[in-house]
């Protein structure tokens, strides 16, 4: 028997690769998170993480436990809904950042639709800045998006590094402006890229701008320039820009869930989808 509280804690640590961030997400003490993981490891008789003072990584058995944990928790939620007689229904307006176009988010949404067939799910894919504005205006009920470094709102799904990526054969001339492929304002990665370059006095030019991730990826594959992108979401055919080109560090980026102000059925549906996304969060930074 595996305790559901321990499995939820395990998933949070596995998705954030941080005991501190997992504790913040779950509203627990860090010591409680460590205790849950230790007890789950005792129950399995296997180490699920390798950890030191600087990093946390899943072991091979930890990778296997990911699938088992999701399955057990989903079965638990289905049983609870069945015996309490609750059935979610109504309209749920969900917004997802362009970053997730090439991830396995559709699998999570498909599973949610199967579990809650009476919920009318409306999906909006947009830039994070636009999604946040629409949420504030009451036009969305739940969003999965990036947040700026100084912001604290939202429930952390995971944190990753922003890096420069480009085509494998791309060459950057140090004597010419850096060619950039960017989203239009208010793109968060765009702002971070321009701020980093300007802080180092590095000249730049816009080689391509599009609100479509697919269009920007196509431009990058064609060798038109470099993109600021999340390390865990690098599209096929692109790779990190070598350090020898001296592009500035871009720092970390947080991906968070934010809920709107609607109450009743919409709130219940938003809570259920948020739970499903958190349970499957590791699939969001793995390619389809």
């Amino acid at each position: 028997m595996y305790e559901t509280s321990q499995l939820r804690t395990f998933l949070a640590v596995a998705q954030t690769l941080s005991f501190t961030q997992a504790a913040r997400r779950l509203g627990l003490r860090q010591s409680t998170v460590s205790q849950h993981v230790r007890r789950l490891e005792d129950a399995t008789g296997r180490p699920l993480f390798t950890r030191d003072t600087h990093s946390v990584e899943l072991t091979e058995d930890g990778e296997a436990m990911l699938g088992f944990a999701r399955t057990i928790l989903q079965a638990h939620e289905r049983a609870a809904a069945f015996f309490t007689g609750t059935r979610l229904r109504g309209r749920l307006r969900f917004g997802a950042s362009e970053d997730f176009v090439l991830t396995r988010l559709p699998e999570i949404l498909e599973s949610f639709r199967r579990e809650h067939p009476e919920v009318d799910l409306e999906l909006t894919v947009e830039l994070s800045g636009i999604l946040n504005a629409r949420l504030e205006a009451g036009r969305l009920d739940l969003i999965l998006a990036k947040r700026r470094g100084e912001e604290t709102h939202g429930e952390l799904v995971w944190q990753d590094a922003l890096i420069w990526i480009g085509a494998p054969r791309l060459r950057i001339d140090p004597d010419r402006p850096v060619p950039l492929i960017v989203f239009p304002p208010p793109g968060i990665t765009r702002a971070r890229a321009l701020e980093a370059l300007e802080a180092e006095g590095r000249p730049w030019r816009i080689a391509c701008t599009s609100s479509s991730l697919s269009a920007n990826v196509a431009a990058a594959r064609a060798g038109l320039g470099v993109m600021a992108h999340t390390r865990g979401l690098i599209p096929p055919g692109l790779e990190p820009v070598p350090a020898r080109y001296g592009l500035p560090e871009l720092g970390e980026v947080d991906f968070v869930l934010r809920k709107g102000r609607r109450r009743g059925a919409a709130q219940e549906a938003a809570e259920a989808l948020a739970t499903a996304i958190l349970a499957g969060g590791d699939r969001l930074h793995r390619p389809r």
Side-chain angles (χ1 to χ4, degrees):
M1 295 290 291
Y2 299 123
E3 293 287 341
T4 55
S5 60
Q6 295 170 14
L7 293 173
R8 290 192 181 93
T9 300
F10 163 76
L11 282 178
V13 176
Q15 290 160 8
T16 61
L17 294 179
S18 167
F19 281 66
T20 301
Q21 292 182 32
R24 189 177 302 125
R25 177 201 286 188
L26 298 169
L28 300 173
R29 295 178 183 272
Q30 189 168 331
S31 59
T32 303
V33 170
S34 297
Q35 183 183 69
H36 282 184
V37 170
R38 185 170 59 252
R39 288 179 176 174
L40 186 59
E41 289 180 325
D42 289 343
T44 61
R46 311 278 183 88
L48 302 176
F49 296 101
T50 57
R51 47 199 184 273
D52 55 32
T53 55
H54 302 292
S55 65
V56 177
E57 298 291 340
L58 282 164
T59 64
E60 186 174 339
D61 290 315
E63 292 278 358
M65 177 56 83
L66 279 174
F68 293 133
R70 280 197 298 267
T71 300
I72 293 168
L73 290 173
Q74 288 168 358
H76 182 269
E77 294 296 331
R78 286 197 300 270
F82 178 85
F83 287 108
T84 57
T86 58
R87 289 179 65 85
L88 293 179
R89 51 176 54 86
R91 179 187 181 205
L92 174 59
R93 302 167 300 174
F94 172 57
S97 167
E98 274 277 344
D99 299 85
F100 300 104
V101 167
L102 301 178
T103 73
R104 297 169 68 185
L105 176 62
E107 295 177 14
I108 297 174
L109 298 181
E110 180 185 11
S111 177
F112 178 82
R113 290 283 296 124
R114 190 166 55 249
E115 296 295 328
H116 306 290
E118 295 182 28
V119 173
D120 295 324
L121 180 62
E122 297 179 5
L123 175 64
T124 297
V125 178
E126 262 293 0
L127 301 178
S128 292
I130 294 174
L131 293 177
N132 278 288
R134 290 185 180 179
L135 185 80
E136 295 290 345
R139 295 165 60 190
L140 291 172
D141 303 310
L142 177 72
I143 64 171
L144 174 61
K146 294 192 291 287
R147 69 181 173 195
R148 300 181 189 277
E150 70 277 9
E151 296 173 336
T152 59
H153 57 240
E155 187 170 13
L156 181 67
V157 179
W158 96 89
Q159 185 183 75
D160 206 346
L162 275 181
I163 62 172
W164 299 99
I165 64 172
R169 293 181 296 278
L170 178 69
R171 300 292 179 265
I172 300 175
D173 188 337
D175 298 322
R176 302 182 65 182
V178 178
L180 298 179
I181 298 169
V182 293
F183 290 112
I188 290 175
T189 52
R190 173 197 176 101
R192 186 81 63 87
L194 300 187
E195 290 166 3
L197 290 168
E198 290 175 356
E200 292 200 357
R202 187 81 179 259
W204 52 269
R205 67 178 178 85
I206 302 297
C208 175
T209 180
S210 174
S211 59
S212 164
L213 175 61
S214 298
N216 285 340
V217 168
R221 287 174 179 159
L224 297 187
V226 298
M227 297 172 58
H229 202 68
T230 308
R231 179 175 55 192
L233 296 174
I234 299 176
L238 300 176
E239 61 183 34
V241 174
R244 67 176 179 272
Y245 290 119
L247 296 181
E249 296 287 330
L250 294 170
E252 306 288 326
V253 63
D254 292 341
F255 289 89
V256 301
L257 283 164
R258 292 188 65 195
K259 303 181 185 73
R261 295 185 294 270
R262 289 176 73 200
R263 296 294 179 259
Q267 182 185 31
E268 292 176 0
E271 292 283 356
L273 181 54
T275 298
I277 290 171
L278 288 171
D282 57 285
R283 292 188 285 180
L284 296 178
H285 43 108
R286 298 181 181 198
R288 285 188 296 192

